[in-house]
Structures are given as C-alpha cells and as structure tokens.
Amino acid sequence: MEQAQAESIAIAALGFIAGDEKLLPRFLSMTGIEAAQVRDAAREPGFMAGVLQFILAHEPTLLAFSQQSGIAPQDVARARAALPLGDDGYEGSA
C-alpha cells in the first residue's frame, strides 16, 4: 500500500475517533495528549500509525470503523504497516 493511501485511511480513522463521544476520551487518555494538541501531534512520525493501532486493538471498534468507512479491516492493518513507525521495524531505545 502506498503511504498516501495509508495516510488517507489514518485520517479517516482519526475522524471516526473524533466523532465518537466514547472513543475520543479513551484515545486522548491512552495517548496522553489533549484534544487541542491532536492537529500538531498528527504531524509527528508514528502518530498516524498509532491512530490505526488504536482502531486495530479493539475488534468492535475496528469493525465499526470498517462498516462506516467501507475500508476492509485488513486494509486498516496494511495501512498501519505502510506508515512511519507502523511496521515495528524500527529499533527501540536500549
């Protein structure tokens, strides 16, 4: 999957999260950012992959996103892998 297509899926996922009154507070809590910081955080490497990981980590959320967006669950996973820091192929700090 091309990175541009993966970014488009991640943006759709972020919109899905932002539009859900239960998911948004959970997402913000898990990421440790405030709602006003999301736009700036989205420019950071790994953030958009993290958005997709959040969606992928909870099957009911993944299925709801897939149904609403028309994006197949396996394409969400492929998109995450195509984004910076989304493939677990980076070295962690020692």
Side-chain angles (χ1 to χ4, degrees):
M1 175 176 294
E2 300 269 336
Q3 185 171 339
Q5 183 182 7
E7 288 172 353
S8 178
I9 291 172
I11 290 167
L14 185 56
F16 174 78
I17 293 166
D20 187 296
E21 63 185 36
K22 292 181 182 177
L23 282 180
L24 182 59
R26 186 169 148 238
F27 176 77
L28 295 175
S29 175
M30 291 180 78
T31 60
I33 63 172
E34 296 180 21
Q37 298 172 312
V38 171
R39 192 175 301 261
D40 290 335
R43 294 186 193 105
E44 295 296 320
F47 181 81
M48 296 310 277
V51 168
L52 295 180
Q53 182 57 44
F54 177 82
I55 294 285
L56 288 162
H58 187 244
E59 186 175 10
T61 301
L62 173 61
L63 295 177
F65 171 67
S66 292
Q67 182 177 14
Q68 182 186 32
S69 67
I71 299 167
Q74 62 270 23
D75 288 339
V76 177
R78 287 178 49 227
R80 184 201 57 168
L83 291 171
L85 304 178
D87 66 357
D88 296 328
Y90 62 94
E91 291 185 32
S93 59

